[in-house]
mmCIF file of all heavy atoms in Angstrom:
data_model
loop_
_atom_site.group_PDB
_atom_site.id
_atom_site.type_symbol
_atom_site.label_atom_id
_atom_site.label_comp_id
_atom_site.label_asym_id
_atom_site.label_seq_id
_atom_site.Cartn_x
_atom_site.Cartn_y
_atom_site.Cartn_z
ATOM 1 N N GLY A 9 4.069 -11.853 -7.628
ATOM 2 C CA GLY A 9 2.880 -12.602 -8.031
ATOM 3 C C GLY A 9 2.695 -12.605 -9.534
ATOM 4 O O GLY A 9 3.309 -11.829 -10.273
ATOM 5 N N LEU A 25 1.900 -2.593 -12.471
ATOM 6 C CA LEU A 25 2.243 -1.565 -13.445
ATOM 7 C C LEU A 25 1.047 -1.159 -14.300
ATOM 8 O O LEU A 25 1.153 -0.243 -15.122
ATOM 9 C CB LEU A 25 3.382 -2.046 -14.355
ATOM 10 C CG LEU A 25 4.737 -2.214 -13.661
ATOM 11 C CD1 LEU A 25 5.739 -2.855 -14.609
ATOM 12 C CD2 LEU A 25 5.265 -0.880 -13.154
ATOM 13 N N VAL A 28 -4.246 2.728 -12.924
ATOM 14 C CA VAL A 28 -5.458 3.001 -12.153
ATOM 15 C C VAL A 28 -5.628 4.514 -12.217
ATOM 16 O O VAL A 28 -4.862 5.255 -11.613
ATOM 17 C CB VAL A 28 -5.344 2.535 -10.692
ATOM 18 C CG1 VAL A 28 -6.622 2.898 -9.930
ATOM 19 C CG2 VAL A 28 -5.103 1.035 -10.627
ATOM 20 N N ASP A 30 -4.761 7.766 -13.944
ATOM 21 C CA ASP A 30 -3.635 8.136 -14.802
ATOM 22 C C ASP A 30 -2.294 7.810 -14.169
ATOM 23 O O ASP A 30 -1.269 8.404 -14.516
ATOM 24 C CB ASP A 30 -3.701 9.635 -15.146
ATOM 25 C CG ASP A 30 -3.665 10.527 -13.914
ATOM 26 O OD1 ASP A 30 -3.659 9.985 -12.779
ATOM 27 O OD2 ASP A 30 -3.657 11.763 -14.075
ATOM 28 N N TYR A 77 15.386 -2.941 -4.359
ATOM 29 C CA TYR A 77 14.579 -3.978 -4.998
ATOM 30 C C TYR A 77 15.035 -5.368 -4.570
ATOM 31 O O TYR A 77 16.207 -5.590 -4.255
ATOM 32 C CB TYR A 77 14.677 -3.865 -6.530
ATOM 33 C CG TYR A 77 14.189 -2.534 -7.055
ATOM 34 C CD1 TYR A 77 15.053 -1.443 -7.136
ATOM 35 C CD2 TYR A 77 12.874 -2.362 -7.446
ATOM 36 C CE1 TYR A 77 14.610 -0.217 -7.605
ATOM 37 C CE2 TYR A 77 12.417 -1.139 -7.920
ATOM 38 C CZ TYR A 77 13.290 -0.070 -7.992
ATOM 39 O OH TYR A 77 12.849 1.152 -8.447
ATOM 40 N N ALA A 78 14.084 -6.285 -4.557
ATOM 41 C CA ALA A 78 14.369 -7.696 -4.315
ATOM 42 C C ALA A 78 13.480 -8.516 -5.242
ATOM 43 O O ALA A 78 12.409 -8.064 -5.659
ATOM 44 C CB ALA A 78 14.123 -8.068 -2.858
ATOM 45 N N LEU A 120 -1.721 7.182 9.993
ATOM 46 C CA LEU A 120 -0.602 6.295 9.710
ATOM 47 C C LEU A 120 0.628 6.675 10.525
ATOM 48 O O LEU A 120 1.300 5.812 11.089
ATOM 49 C CB LEU A 120 -0.267 6.344 8.218
ATOM 50 C CG LEU A 120 -1.267 5.701 7.258
ATOM 51 C CD1 LEU A 120 -0.889 6.016 5.822
ATOM 52 C CD2 LEU A 120 -1.329 4.197 7.476
ATOM 53 N N ARG A 142 -16.017 -13.477 2.866
ATOM 54 C CA ARG A 142 -15.026 -13.584 1.798
ATOM 55 C C ARG A 142 -13.616 -13.195 2.253
ATOM 56 O O ARG A 142 -12.670 -13.310 1.486
ATOM 57 C CB ARG A 142 -15.425 -12.684 0.616
ATOM 58 C CG ARG A 142 -16.683 -13.097 -0.111
ATOM 59 C CD ARG A 142 -16.974 -12.157 -1.260
ATOM 60 N NE ARG A 142 -15.804 -11.988 -2.126
ATOM 61 C CZ ARG A 142 -15.365 -10.818 -2.570
ATOM 62 N NH1 ARG A 142 -15.957 -9.697 -2.187
ATOM 63 N NH2 ARG A 142 -14.307 -10.753 -3.357
ATOM 64 N N THR A 148 -12.489 -7.782 17.830
ATOM 65 C CA THR A 148 -11.737 -6.987 18.797
ATOM 66 C C THR A 148 -12.569 -6.687 20.034
ATOM 67 O O THR A 148 -13.794 -6.843 20.041
ATOM 68 C CB THR A 148 -11.311 -5.642 18.183
ATOM 69 O OG1 THR A 148 -12.486 -4.839 17.907
ATOM 70 C CG2 THR A 148 -10.552 -5.844 16.892
ATOM 71 N N ALA A 202 -1.385 -14.448 13.600
ATOM 72 C CA ALA A 202 -1.879 -15.335 14.658
ATOM 73 C C ALA A 202 -0.864 -15.472 15.790
ATOM 74 O O ALA A 202 -1.245 -15.588 16.969
ATOM 75 C CB ALA A 202 -2.204 -16.709 14.071
ATOM 76 N N GLY A 216 -12.867 3.067 9.646
ATOM 77 C CA GLY A 216 -14.056 3.876 9.876
ATOM 78 C C GLY A 216 -14.721 4.383 8.606
ATOM 79 O O GLY A 216 -14.315 4.091 7.476
ATOM 80 N N ALA A 220 -11.877 4.547 1.946
ATOM 81 C CA ALA A 220 -12.064 3.579 0.868
ATOM 82 C C ALA A 220 -10.864 2.645 0.847
ATOM 83 O O ALA A 220 -9.719 3.088 0.955
ATOM 84 C CB ALA A 220 -12.196 4.284 -0.471
ATOM 85 N N ALA A 263 9.982 22.755 -3.355
ATOM 86 C CA ALA A 263 9.080 23.155 -4.430
ATOM 87 C C ALA A 263 9.782 23.181 -5.786
ATOM 88 O O ALA A 263 9.182 22.830 -6.812
ATOM 89 C CB ALA A 263 8.467 24.516 -4.115
ATOM 90 N N ALA A 286 3.476 22.837 -7.146
ATOM 91 C CA ALA A 286 4.697 23.547 -6.748
ATOM 92 C C ALA A 286 4.487 25.056 -6.791
ATOM 93 O O ALA A 286 4.935 25.795 -5.907
ATOM 94 C CB ALA A 286 5.861 23.141 -7.643
#
Side-chain angles (χ1 to χ4, degrees):
L25 292 173
V28 178
D30 59 356
Y77 300 87
L120 289 172
R142 294 181 51 226
T148 66

